[in-house]
Amino acid sequence: MSNKRALTDRESALPALAEAFREHGFEGATLASLSKATGLGKGSLYNFFPGGKDEMMEAVLENIDGWFADAIFSPLENVSDPAAAVTAMFDDVTAYFRSGRRVCVVGCLGLNSSGETFAVKVKDYFARWISALAHCLEVAKVPPAMAVDLAEEAVSGIQGAIVLARALGDDASFQRIVRRLQSTLLDAIGRYG
Amino acid sequence: MSNKRALTDRESALPALAEAFREHGFEGATLASLSKATGLGKGSLYNFFPGGKDEMMEAVLENIDGWFADAIFSPLENVSDPAAAVTAMFDDVTAYFRSGRRVCVVGCLGLNSSGETFAVKVKDYFARWISALAHCLEVAKVPPAMAVDLAEEAVSGIQGAIVLARALGDDASFQRIVRRLQSTLLDAIGRYG
DNA sequence: CAAAGTTTGTACCGATAGGTACAAGGCAAC
DNA sequence: GTTGCCTTGTACCTATCGGTACAAACTTTG
């Protein structure tokens, strides 16, 4: 297979690209910084991503979305033990966002106008997260309207915790907030399950 | 007074500057866009803000902080009726952030490395908000540890609501989340007050 | 090894970034 | 009206932006 190498390298550059976008934002990330982050020259970068920065971000979003689909969304959508699934979600999310030290690329994109190009992907990511979590709560017999409300609150709360933890430079606050969100959900599950 | 005009114009440019920084972020806001937003030429901009973009953002932060100090922090710090103060805070915040359509400049600054220059101001803003709100809850006889937790949760929750509402393009979600946060606080006040 | 295709560094492009210099214009005080 | 200060537009600077071109180097295939 002639394109095996190419695809592999393109794929393996994504985490570094994601990290660079996380650190500097989409506008703030220059080709020079992306080149340094990945260890690839400009030539290679444009070889793998002919569409430039836009295509790189697109690929990064796809990659992130894939990770979340596997690690977060699917387990919630195909849940058998809701309480365990919720606990696992919070554990995975805390690890993924490094207790708020790591920023959510998707959330950040939505915040300024440079991300308008990716608006659909951003929206879908959050919509799917909320509906997956709401489904999980409904399986635990939480009334549908309340399930959606709680799911929305939890996803939003995680984003807020990232903002606050970054602003205060204090991941302990992230942990506290997320722990509270988790018990709110577990309480609801316990109440109806 | 010879410098009255100058100071007035500098001050009156701040809202437009803030809006431009909100829309494009700090890195994304170019001098051209700042010039267009304020209606001031480059010459005037550098006359009022010799330090360039950094000084403009500094002034914008100062301005925002002043507004919050007057409208949000002080009423919480010098509270007599905690329930009314909390309700007023949520009303003012909802109006200020236009139900999440408007982004929080301070929160955004904390998210990427371009805001490191302003880290102290960002941190102080959130720290003061949380401690003012916690104080308000303590006046309502909420136990101190719980007051801090609730305050942290509320401030963080507002930031999360902005992120989510922007991402989904749906201010109704902002309203729902903020209403929930408000009742959580009012419940606590009612329970102990 | 030779042929064919991939991957890479380097040099380069026009556009625009943030910032400076400065002369012309506007405005108050006398 | 004239003086002196403040304000402003324009022209200009260098650095860097995202992006292109392309030949050299490397792989893979036979």
Side-chain angles (χ1 to χ4, degrees):
Chain A
M1 214 175 279
S2 61
N3 57 349
K4 191 192 160 197
R5 251 287 288 268
L7 207 73
T8 300
D9 276 9
R10 186 191 143 113
E11 213 66 19
S12 73
L14 292 180
L17 285 177
E19 221 55 50
F21 281 131
R22 242 184 277 274
E23 186 70 11
H24 304 104
F26 181 65
E27 307 242 22
T30 68
L31 283 183
S33 71
L34 296 171
S35 175
K36 203 171 70 181
T38 54
L40 295 170
K42 243 199 260 200
S44 317
L45 238 32
Y46 271 85
N47 181 37
F48 294 133
F49 307 94
K53 267 173 81 172
D54 280 38
E55 191 176 337
M56 294 179 212
M57 181 53 103
E58 205 86 42
V60 163
L61 284 182
E62 209 96 43
N63 188 50
I64 291 175
D65 207 71
W67 187 89
F68 269 83
D70 290 350
I72 312 280
F73 304 155
S74 288
L76 292 172
E77 286 160 353
N78 312 316
V79 68
S80 58
D81 179 347
V86 163
T87 301
M89 180 192 93
F90 279 105
D91 286 351
D92 289 346
V93 160
T94 300
Y96 181 82
F97 290 121
R98 306 257 168 80
S99 301
R101 279 193 306 273
R102 223 184 181 200
V103 145
C104 177
V105 183
V106 193
C108 287
L109 265 184
L111 289 174
N112 54 48
S113 65
S114 68
E116 272 165 22
T117 322
F118 314 103
V120 174
K121 280 210 166 86
V122 170
K123 181 174 173 172
D124 289 352
Y125 167 89
F126 282 108
R128 185 171 175 196
W129 193 348
I130 290 171
S131 86
L133 183 52
H135 170 79
C136 172
L137 295 175
E138 283 178 45
V139 167
K141 304 272 190 299
V142 177
M146 191 188 199
V148 172
D149 262 27
L150 285 172
E152 193 173 59
E153 186 187 356
V155 171
S156 156
I158 289 167
Q159 295 295 314
I162 294 171
V163 173
L164 190 68
R166 289 276 307 193
L168 295 177
D170 169 31
D171 20 331
S173 55
F174 180 93
Q175 316 245 27
R176 281 194 298 273
I177 292 163
V178 159
R179 203 179 318 125
R180 276 187 81 91
L181 292 170
Q182 181 174 354
S183 14
T184 303
L185 296 195
L186 291 181
D187 283 0
I189 289 175
R191 202 171 319 129
Y192 297 94
Chain B
M1 213 174 278
S2 62
N3 58 348
K4 192 194 160 198
R5 249 288 288 268
L7 207 73
T8 300
D9 276 9
R10 186 189 141 112
E11 213 66 20
S12 73
L14 292 180
L17 285 177
E19 221 53 52
F21 282 131
R22 240 185 277 275
E23 185 69 12
H24 305 104
F26 181 66
E27 306 244 22
T30 69
L31 282 183
S33 71
L34 296 171
S35 176
K36 203 171 69 180
T38 55
L40 296 170
K42 244 199 259 199
S44 316
L45 239 30
Y46 271 86
N47 182 36
F48 294 133
F49 308 95
K53 265 173 81 171
D54 281 38
E55 192 176 337
M56 293 179 212
M57 180 52 103
E58 205 86 42
V60 163
L61 284 182
E62 209 95 44
N63 188 51
I64 290 174
D65 207 70
W67 187 89
F68 269 84
D70 290 350
I72 312 279
F73 304 155
S74 289
L76 292 172
E77 285 159 355
N78 312 315
V79 68
S80 57
D81 179 347
V86 163
T87 300
M89 179 193 94
F90 278 105
D91 286 351
D92 289 347
V93 160
T94 301
Y96 181 83
F97 290 122
R98 307 258 166 81
S99 301
R101 279 192 304 274
R102 224 183 180 202
V103 145
C104 178
V105 182
V106 193
C108 287
L109 265 184
L111 289 175
N112 53 49
S113 66
S114 67
E116 273 166 21
T117 323
F118 315 104
V120 175
K121 281 210 166 87
V122 170
K123 181 175 174 171
D124 288 352
Y125 167 89
F126 283 108
R128 185 169 174 198
W129 193 349
I130 290 171
S131 87
L133 182 53
H135 169 79
C136 172
L137 296 175
E138 284 178 44
V139 167
K141 305 273 191 298
V142 177
M146 191 186 198
V148 172
D149 262 26
L150 285 173
E152 193 173 59
E153 186 188 354
V155 171
S156 155
I158 290 166
Q159 296 295 313
I162 295 172
V163 174
L164 190 68
R166 289 276 307 193
L168 295 178
D170 168 31
D171 19 329
S173 55
F174 180 93
Q175 314 246 28
R176 280 194 297 272
I177 293 163
V178 159
R179 203 177 320 126
R180 276 185 83 91
L181 291 170
Q182 182 174 353
S183 13
T184 303
L185 295 195
L186 291 180
D187 283 359
I189 289 175
R191 201 171 320 132
Y192 297 94

